[in-house]
Amino acid sequence: MRVPDSHLPHGLAQASSTSSKTEAILPIIQKMESADSSERKWACVAVSNLIQNDPSTRRLLQGKNVVGALIARLTDSEEEVVIEAMGSLRNLCIDGGYDICAEMYNKNILVPLKTFIPKISSTLEQFLQTPKSAPENALKVVYEFADNVITALWCLSETSNKALNAINAIRLAPFLMSFLASREQLPIAPIVAAAQCLYVLTDDNDPAINDVRADAGYISCLFDIVRSVHHDMKVNGKAKERDQRSITISVLAAGILRNISPLPPPVAASFVDIDKDIVLPLLQPVITSVSLPDTSNNVQALVSQQASIPQTEKSSLKSTPKFDHKSPIEIELERLESCLRTVQLALEILTGTCATLPDPGLNVDEAESDDNEENDDKEEAEVMEDMDIDMSTINDKSGMEQSETVPLLPPLVPALLALAQPTSLSFPPLASISVHPPTTSALSGIHVSALECLNNIFLSLARVRNTSISSDKEAGQRVWKDVWSALSVVGPEFGMGQERRREMWEISVGVLWGIGNVWKGSLAPDVNEVNLLTQFCNASSDSQTRVKCIGTLECLAQHPDSIDSNRIISEYLLSFLPTGTSSEVGIEPVLQSVSAIIDIYSDEMLPYDVNFRQGRYLNRLASSIDGMKKLVKTIDRRKPGGRVLRLRGEEIRDNLIAFVEYRKNLKL
């Protein structure tokens, strides 16, 4: 949702009290049904004007069935009314999010949308064949209409499985690819919309994936987009609008290629490692191209400047509503938001790549590896000669570290940590709304996506121990401090409209757990951090979040010299021990806590083992065995994930029994 509205109380009465445009709503709805086509057109345009960055008014319009009224206008006898109705529906999709899109789908918006697609295709084909045959104004109208239709389809496809299945049945891939294939002859806006729609449709959606994979021409086109932008892209934050949006298209093309990979063998590009050769070289410069603090400051300055301009044109029902006449300030705000959205998109694509980053510590036979790579290169080169794709510029990493060296990780991690740091505009104030909701939404989205990338990187590193990284204790401490620095700005207060603050904490705890596992034993626990983790764990109702908190505390407890902190953490973990057949804190947190205690005290020679003996932890663990047995029996294998959870529960139960026996035999 571009303009979040979760800070608003539910109910039309509450929305009415927070909107300054209540009186304009009813006349607009009435004029939507007017016999005068100019009034119907006016009403459609007025909707877009009223909802701009105004969730309260959007809710009011929703309550008056503005969606149904606008969908009815898509079959209007006057073409201009249809065009303006489509524009307003598109804006509602973007600003309103899932709820409005679901309402549109339920009110059969796809019926008229399907009829527009062949009309747009035939008109574009005619324009492309004889570009001078149509007046410039007519071209502009068709291109904007195509942009609006495609954007609505993109938003609808993210709404529900029902909507996605219905859109799959339309088979949009050829229609969307036609825009990308003709990108040199078309305006940039509908091309971006087509690429965005195709990116969403190919995200874990086999029908669309198969449609793109089945046509070598489509794959060649996508590679060509990536290649051309990657070759001449100089990201400096001052790119012209066309350049910035061209970068967005290339990012989307890389995302589509990643979505449809592995590419089918008959395609020569199937030899290309999409993550290593496409995604990382292209997207790393994108995520380092923007300074979030600078952008935040620029937006606030522009908003202040805008507020100081006297409002000479007051909105009235008698005046003609503005169409797309935006002030220089509005245009610059949109440009800044577009840059942020491109970075957010790049991070979303990188999230999957970060989970599969090649581990530099794998012990692979060097000679065998070199031989295999040489053979692969020869085979790839032979096929590339016969294919109309110039891969040289894609594989040219121009300033990037080569993949054979270790530091795929070091360049990414600092960039991601920088993007995770909140700015003054990243979240709405606790007691009010943001001065510019779209920018706030984009900034917080970037922070969340950056943390998700970090989460995947450190989980990946924790799975395969890498001594060269884990031995660099200073690096671990720096990363740890940077994550906590971000959390200190987010703060522990959550409320209505502050969902992103909570999300930041939930993902950050996962990042901390990953860092803790990579540098286990070398991170000295801070009392305040331990307290915040335990408080967040207690306050969370989500089992997985509690598991992450417990896992992070487990890592901190294993710092050999922090005896007091070890005792505090252990006492907290022991409070999760099962006493009966059910657990109020959830089965998975209990299992994680028991596993953590076993792991912490598996080496009785460590300095903090004194806590285990003095606190009589052995007796407490022994008395929990019956409760543990009963708890494991309650895990239903038939439920989703139940079989895996039951196996884990049985393993931890057996480990607990063996651990108690082992510690008893030590007689310490």
Side-chain angles (χ1 to χ4, degrees):
M1 187 183 291
R2 180 173 177 268
V3 187
D5 63 0
S6 57
H7 63 282
L8 295 173
H10 292 291
L12 286 179
Q14 294 288 350
S16 178
S17 67
T18 54
S19 171
S20 60
K21 303 166 187 172
T22 306
E23 294 179 1
I25 301 298
L26 187 58
I28 287 174
I29 298 300
Q30 290 171 341
K31 286 178 182 290
M32 202 83 73
E33 305 289 340
S34 172
D36 185 345
S37 62
S38 63
E39 288 194 341
R40 298 199 300 275
K41 176 184 173 183
W42 180 93
C44 293
V45 175
V47 171
S48 284
N49 290 339
L50 288 182
I51 68 168
Q52 187 175 19
N53 297 344
D54 188 345
S56 297
T57 303
R58 187 184 71 234
R59 281 195 184 182
L60 277 179
L61 283 163
Q62 239 185 309
K64 299 295 184 181
N65 191 31
V66 71
V67 169
L70 286 169
I71 291 173
R73 298 280 63 79
L74 294 181
T75 54
D76 199 281
S77 57
E78 290 292 329
E79 190 176 79
E80 287 188 353
V81 176
V82 174
I83 290 168
E84 297 303 339
M86 190 66 245
S88 288
L89 285 165
R90 176 254 192 201
N91 291 345
L92 280 168
C93 278
I94 289 179
D95 273 16
Y98 295 127
D99 288 345
I100 280 187
C101 289
E103 184 183 349
M104 289 182 188
Y105 173 73
N106 292 334
K107 291 180 177 175
N108 295 319
I109 191 175
L110 285 180
V111 174
L113 290 188
K114 282 191 285 189
T115 67
F116 296 150
I117 293 169
K119 293 177 183 177
I120 293 171
S121 294
S122 61
T123 306
L124 282 177
E125 187 177 355
Q126 180 184 344
F127 286 170
L128 291 171
Q129 288 176 353
T130 55
K132 296 181 180 179
S133 63
E136 186 176 340
N137 187 54
L139 287 170
K140 184 174 183 291
V141 168
V142 171
Y143 294 145
E144 288 181 356
F145 186 69
D147 179 7
N148 291 337
V149 170
I150 294 169
T151 302
L153 288 166
W154 145 36
C155 294
L156 287 165
S157 66
E158 294 187 290
T159 303
S160 66
N161 286 332
K162 283 185 178 180
L164 179 60
N165 291 335
I167 291 171
N168 281 337
I170 303 174
R171 307 296 290 269
L172 282 175
F175 173 68
L176 299 172
M177 283 302 307
S178 69
F179 284 86
L180 300 183
S182 304
R183 61 192 178 280
E184 298 298 332
Q185 292 83 38
L186 297 175
I188 198 79
I191 303 169
V192 174
Q196 180 72 68
C197 188
L198 194 60
Y199 168 67
V200 169
L201 284 175
T202 54
D203 182 15
D204 198 22
N205 178 35
D206 287 339
I209 290 171
N210 294 335
D211 284 347
V212 178
R213 295 179 86 221
D215 194 314
Y218 294 167
I219 296 172
S220 178
C221 175
L222 292 167
F223 270 107
D224 193 47
I225 292 170
V226 173
R227 181 200 64 194
S228 60
V229 175
H230 181 261
H231 179 63
D232 57 11
M233 183 174 65
K234 301 293 183 184
V235 181
N236 57 17
K238 297 180 181 178
K240 295 179 181 178
E241 182 184 4
R242 176 95 196 183
D243 295 335
Q244 175 58 43
R245 300 183 85 176
S246 295
I247 293 169
T248 303
I249 294 171
S250 70
V251 171
L252 289 164
I256 295 166
L257 286 169
R258 191 173 198 282
N259 285 347
I260 67 172
S261 64
L263 303 180
V267 177
S270 61
F271 289 100
V272 177
D273 185 324
I274 299 295
D275 280 338
K276 186 178 74 174
D277 298 328
I278 303 293
V279 173
L280 281 168
L282 179 68
L283 301 192
Q284 184 166 322
V286 173
I287 68 170
T288 56
S289 68
V290 63
S291 165
L292 299 189
D294 288 350
T295 303
S296 176
N297 292 337
N298 289 342
V299 168
Q300 291 180 90
L302 287 166
V303 170
S304 297
Q305 187 180 342
Q306 190 177 41
S308 66
I309 298 173
Q311 298 292 320
T312 56
E313 294 183 8
K314 296 292 182 181
S315 175
S316 85
L317 294 175
K318 294 181 180 180
S319 64
T320 303
K322 63 180 181 179
F323 290 77
D324 285 330
H325 303 301
K326 295 172 182 172
S327 69
I329 291 177
E330 290 173 323
I331 292 171
E332 179 61 12
L333 285 170
E334 287 190 2
R335 188 192 69 80
L336 291 171
E337 183 192 349
S338 177
C339 292
L340 294 176
R341 296 292 182 189
T342 301
V343 173
Q344 184 182 1
L345 175 66
L347 289 169
E348 288 173 0
I349 296 168
L350 279 172
T351 301
T353 301
C354 288
T356 58
L357 280 177
D359 183 73
L362 293 177
N363 296 317
V364 181
D365 184 87
E366 294 290 340
E368 182 182 347
S369 176
D370 290 342
D371 289 342
N372 289 339
E373 287 181 13
E374 185 176 343
N375 292 334
D376 288 345
D377 290 343
K378 286 180 180 177
E379 190 175 359
E380 180 179 341
E382 290 171 1
V383 184
M384 288 299 176
E385 288 177 1
D386 300 325
M387 184 170 181
D388 188 25
I389 297 180
D390 178 9
M391 298 303 298
S392 61
T393 55
I394 290 179
N395 290 317
D396 171 25
K397 305 232 176 358
S398 59
M400 295 281 293
E401 297 284 354
Q402 294 299 310
S403 59
E404 288 80 3
T405 60
V406 172
L408 265 179
L409 176 63
L412 265 183
V413 171
L416 293 170
L417 285 168
L419 292 173
Q421 303 302 316
T423 72
S424 56
L425 202 56
S426 294
F427 306 102
L430 292 170
S432 60
I433 62 173
S434 166
V435 297
H436 195 250
T439 299
T440 293
S441 173
L443 284 169
S444 58
I446 286 173
H447 303 324
V448 167
S449 295
L451 286 168
E452 286 175 338
C453 287
L454 288 166
N455 182 63
N456 285 353
I457 286 175
F458 289 114
L459 285 181
S460 180
L461 286 173
R463 279 195 295 269
V464 182
R465 299 295 295 174
N466 185 311
T467 53
S468 64
I469 291 178
S470 59
S471 61
D472 188 353
K473 296 180 180 180
E474 289 185 3
Q477 290 163 359
R478 284 198 304 271
V479 174
W480 180 268
K481 287 180 180 177
D482 281 347
V483 176
W484 275 107
S485 174
L487 287 176
S488 68
V489 178
V490 176
E493 294 184 59
F494 315 118
M496 198 161 57
Q498 302 294 336
E499 292 78 11
R500 275 285 167 83
R501 291 183 190 265
R502 180 180 293 278
E503 193 175 359
M504 284 278 287
W505 270 90
E506 290 172 348
I507 299 170
S508 294
V509 171
V511 178
L512 292 171
W513 190 11
I515 297 168
N517 273 307
V518 174
W519 285 281
K520 187 179 289 185
S522 62
L523 296 169
D526 176 272
V527 175
N528 291 331
E529 292 170 0
V530 170
N531 287 338
L532 284 169
L533 284 169
T534 56
Q535 289 169 16
F536 186 63
C537 185
N538 291 336
S540 177
S541 58
D542 178 62
S543 286
Q544 289 304 312
T545 300
R546 286 185 163 187
V547 166
K548 294 174 188 176
C549 292
I550 292 165
T552 306
L553 289 167
E554 171 193 342
C555 296
L556 291 175
Q558 294 184 60
H559 187 259
D561 301 324
S562 299
I563 297 174
D564 287 342
S565 294
N566 171 278
R567 185 183 67 256
I568 293 169
I569 293 171
S570 297
E571 289 288 347
Y572 179 70
L573 297 178
L574 287 165
S575 70
F576 286 83
L577 289 177
T579 55
T581 58
S582 63
S583 173
E584 293 181 359
V585 297
I587 292 174
E588 289 176 86
V590 170
L591 297 180
Q592 186 65 40
S593 297
V594 173
S595 176
I597 288 292
I598 295 170
D599 195 29
I600 292 167
Y601 294 107
S602 59
D603 185 352
E604 67 277 3
M605 302 304 293
L606 287 168
Y608 56 65
D609 195 72
V610 64
N611 293 327
F612 187 89
R613 300 189 295 272
Q614 291 181 352
R616 299 184 181 276
Y617 293 170
L618 179 59
N619 293 340
R620 294 164 72 175
L621 290 171
S623 63
S624 72
I625 289 176
D626 285 342
M628 188 70 174
K629 289 178 180 178
K630 293 175 183 177
L631 186 69
V632 170
K633 285 182 180 179
T634 65
I635 302 173
D636 190 346
R637 291 190 181 94
R638 295 166 297 181
K639 291 183 177 180
R643 185 177 295 276
V644 173
L645 183 60
R646 180 66 175 263
L647 288 172
R648 173 166 164 75
E650 290 171 351
E651 180 186 8
I652 293 173
R653 175 202 62 199
D654 294 344
N655 287 346
L656 175 62
I657 294 170
F659 178 73
V660 168
E661 187 65 25
Y662 166 75
R663 293 294 308 214
K664 282 181 177 178
N665 290 335
L666 288 177
K667 298 180 179 178
L668 293 176

